[in-house]
Amino acid sequence: MSDSEDSYMAISESGSESYIPSIDDSSSSDDSGRDAARSWCAADTSTFPNPPPRFPFTGTPGCRFSKIHITEPLDYFNLYFDNELMNEITTETNRYALSKPQTSRSQWNPASVEEMFMFLSVILLQGIIHKPDERMYWTTNETLATPIFRRIMARNRFLEIKQNLHFSNNENYNPRTHPNPKLNKIWPIVQNLCSKFSRLYVPERDIVVDESLMLFKGRLSWRQYMPLKRSRFGVKFYMLCESVSGYLYNFIIYTGKDTVFNQKYKDMPITSRIVLSLADSLLGKGYCLTTDNFYSSPHLADYLVTVQTDFYGTVRTTRQQIPAEVRNKKLKKGETVAMQRGKVMALKWQDKRAVTLLSTVHNPSMVRKQTHAGKIVVKPQVVVDYNDTMGGVDVLDQHLRDYPVARKRGKKFYKKVFFHLLDICTFNAFVLHEKNGGVLSHLDFRINIIETIIEKYHTETRVTKHGQPRTSGPRIPGPLRLTERHFPDLLSETDKKKAPTRRCAVCKTKHDGAGKRIRKETRYFCKDCDVPLCAAPCFRIYHTMEKF
């Protein structure tokens, strides 16, 4: 075994800070052992036949909540959007609506928590059923109509709540004392959900840090342009996700030079500060972190080794401390060059173009890999592992793109951020559902949440223009008529009639032999549904048959 291999093996097995100097240490230490660890030497499989051993994984991955009462999709969703958070949103929405000048607002009917849940169900359903204009969801045009939206919530009420949707008290805002002034409109929601993401679930060993772009083309000083992203323009999120499932564990919203990071790493380079702020609670537990070339550097790899965290990812050859032998070497296709420094390996591999990677858990070994087309190719092991674990954030983005709840034309960034976080919460809840043995697909999971919210929170009340309850005329069957317990009752006496009758809602859908609708009066009705029905068999038909 070579001296260099002895060096990184000693570092790996102990995992102690004393083997690798801190970031501020100079390379000219009096300790010759530390000098050897800080010097790059040529690496190949003959001198390094075995990769550096991983740090022992001491994390405890899995759910961190009681599973006794968490059985349905809505239960998982409520882990994030619980009554406390919904109360806060409802309170601030009502406060904001009532604070508007009387001349610029209509008469505001205060929203309730139940109504806010119904509002979220409409938003989630819009993510599944796509229409180019939001008002089109309530159209009566038979070609375009989707009647369920009219049954869940009136169009004007939905638009009224969406217009007044608010999350913080403007009167309490002070830019000098606020922890994140640029995000003050959405900061309570960001704090609440970010803490829940990391508290409710601990990820498996392999984690990934990458950026994601939320589409936003409005006026915003920190709006980003990223031509390689699908959205191109928008608000950038730095995310730490579990590599396999895509579960979002932590995130930071980029707001320019005022972006809030962990003060513990304030002296670090900005890219290292991003990674370490996101992964702070997971350091020292043997996790293996994957990043792309925006974040990777020998500086970051060295620091992660001191906190017993493994690392690999692509790297730019212009980064400081990349050895010149790797940076300047010209290779033919399939060739590699590698250098080792302590536990950190720098490898350059020539594919269609040169790819450079850093790793603390690989040596320069090559493996045979079969492509999707059935062709056998030879690649470095670090490249294969990078491709397998780097896609965590991409998994999240892909699922969010399927059923996006944020509409393209939103003008207020904080509302779009809220809807984006609502989308992420739904996906995280789906991941927890899967990890606890759930068998529903992502789409079925979302549909189940919507249906359960309707069943639990919907109250069907129709009023006339004068504000009085509607007692006659056509009525659309409510979505709860098949699930709740219903009982027949006699219509109440009026001043004009002691035994009033109304037209049966089931009979009027039938036709006689001449093709005319049957008109049959009845003294019975369902009090919960406010629908007149014959005692038999129409009452049973209405509450048990989806179509009648």
Side-chain angles (χ1 to χ4, degrees), residues 480-488 526 528-529 539 543:
L480 299 182
R481 66 186 175 88
L482 303 177
T483 57
E484 286 188 338
R485 301 177 67 187
H486 302 266
F487 302 95
C526 177
D528 293 329
C529 300
F539 196 92
H543 292 106

Side-chain angles (χ1 to χ4, degrees), residues 14 24 34 37 48 92 148 183 258 267 270 277 284 297 324 365 382 399 421 424 442-443 463 469 477 520 531-532 534:
S14 71
D24 295 328
R34 292 178 65 158
F48 294 91
E92 295 305 331
I148 185 63
L183 295 178
D258 299 322
D267 297 327
I270 182 64
S277 296
S297 67
S365 63
V382 61
H399 279 85
L421 292 176
I424 292 173
H442 187 203
L443 175 59
V463 296
K520 187 174 181 179
V531 174
C534 297

Side-chain angles (χ1 to χ4, degrees), residues 188-200:
I189 307 298
V190 170
Q191 278 189 310
N192 187 294
L193 294 179
C194 193
S195 65
K196 288 176 180 175
F197 290 162
S198 55
R199 187 177 73 245
L200 292 171

